[in-house]
Amino acid sequence: MLGGGNIFPLYLYPDITKEDLFSGSASGEKEPNIAPEIFEKLKVVFKKEVTPEQIFYYIYAVLYSNTYRTKYAEFLKIDFPRIPFTKDYKLFIKLGELGKELADLHLLKSSKLNKPITKFPVDGSSEVEKVNYESVGTSRDLSLHGIVYINKEQYFEPVPEEVWNYHIGGYQVCHKWLKDRKGRKLTLEERETYCKIVTALHHTIELQKQIDELYDGVEG
């Protein structure tokens, strides 16, 4: 086994064939994988019932707050992230809505991806020979942007510089995705997927700005 990981499913489903951490309850129904006291405390504070999905999307938004990440950077290196919960129900819902938008983008399910911000305009072999980014200036709607070459003739354009430099889990997403396919010919589906990834990251950055504008209210 190379390394390890953690799995935190939102729901636990029953499995009568075995007994382990993810077998769910004996009642035969799925159960939220969230401590019951969390629901109880939020109900007291909000005076309303909240769903597992609302909690999940709220947490997703908080974890993508640059303000949160910066403030708890050292702590996040040594322990599981601790999530601050707002006492403001409207803020809780709003952040949850932004979190759902983020999740849909990252699953490539968002309707925003139907209009990609980048294209693959030149026909050719579509083989990834050498991945190279060249900044070409600014555009009216994308600010500083550039071109991502996969060989001498073919490229994706435009790719905003902040999208090209975007990292998740220590990886530069747009570079790594292509680098992992070096020596292969990209299929039409793969080229479309890359355009969606660029678009998803572009909208992710915009949503993170909105989340940061709201985040002060979480701990205030």
Side-chain angles (χ1 to χ4, degrees):
M1 180 177 180
L2 299 178
N6 298 288
I7 300 175
F8 299 103
L10 184 58
Y11 286 99
L12 300 179
Y13 292 83
D15 186 345
I16 60 175
T17 65
K18 59 182 179 179
E19 295 181 2
D20 60 26
L21 212 58
F22 304 110
S23 296
S25 69
S27 66
E29 297 182 358
K30 68 179 182 180
E31 287 187 343
N33 190 26
I34 300 173
E37 52 264 33
I38 299 296
F39 293 99
E40 294 168 6
K41 289 180 179 180
L42 292 178
K43 183 178 180 180
V44 170
V45 173
F46 294 151
K47 312 299 182 188
K48 296 177 183 292
E49 300 274 1
V50 297
T51 67
E53 286 77 11
Q54 287 174 321
I55 294 175
F56 172 81
Y57 290 127
Y58 169 84
I59 292 173
Y60 203 85
V62 168
L63 291 176
Y64 268 88
S65 164
N66 289 312
T67 303
Y68 169 85
R69 292 180 175 186
T70 301
K71 183 174 182 178
Y72 297 105
E74 292 304 313
F75 187 81
L76 291 170
K77 293 177 183 178
I78 60 174
D79 202 354
F80 290 116
R82 307 298 174 93
I83 306 298
F85 274 84
T86 177
K87 296 180 179 179
D88 185 334
Y89 178 72
K90 290 183 179 179
L91 180 57
F92 173 79
I93 293 299
K94 179 59 180 175
L95 283 169
E97 290 171 348
L98 295 175
K100 186 177 189 313
E101 283 191 60
L102 279 174
D104 286 345
L105 284 169
H106 300 163
L107 292 171
L108 302 184
K109 292 168 53 179
S110 173
S111 60
K112 290 182 177 180
L113 304 181
N114 294 335
K115 294 182 178 180
I117 65 169
T118 190
K119 300 181 184 301
F120 189 75
V122 179
D123 291 332
S125 69
S126 298
E127 182 174 348
V128 182
E129 297 175 0
K130 182 179 180 181
V131 181
N132 183 44
Y133 183 83
E134 290 187 7
S135 180
V136 296
T138 60
S139 63
R140 183 174 57 185
D141 56 342
L142 293 177
S143 189
L144 192 65
H145 71 281
I147 295 174
V148 179
Y149 284 93
I150 65 168
N151 55 47
K152 292 182 179 180
E153 294 83 25
Q154 293 178 285
Y155 53 85
F156 292 92
E157 181 193 31
V159 177
E161 190 171 88
E162 61 181 355
V163 170
W164 173 251
N165 290 325
Y166 195 90
H167 284 67
I168 293 179
Y171 293 106
Q172 187 178 347
V173 180
C174 289
H175 181 266
K176 179 172 173 54
W177 194 93
L178 289 172
K179 183 180 177 182
D180 288 347
R181 290 158 178 78
K182 187 175 180 179
R184 286 174 42 186
K185 294 182 179 180
L186 298 180
T187 65
L188 174 60
E189 182 179 1
E190 287 176 320
R191 299 196 298 270
E192 290 176 345
T193 296
Y194 191 79
C195 290
K196 288 181 179 180
I197 290 172
V198 171
T199 305
L201 292 178
H202 169 69
H203 289 300
T204 292
I205 293 168
E206 293 301 313
L207 286 171
Q208 285 182 284
K209 294 175 183 177
Q210 295 181 48
I211 291 169
D212 283 336
E213 289 175 359
L214 297 172
Y215 185 79
D216 284 345
V218 170
E219 298 190 50

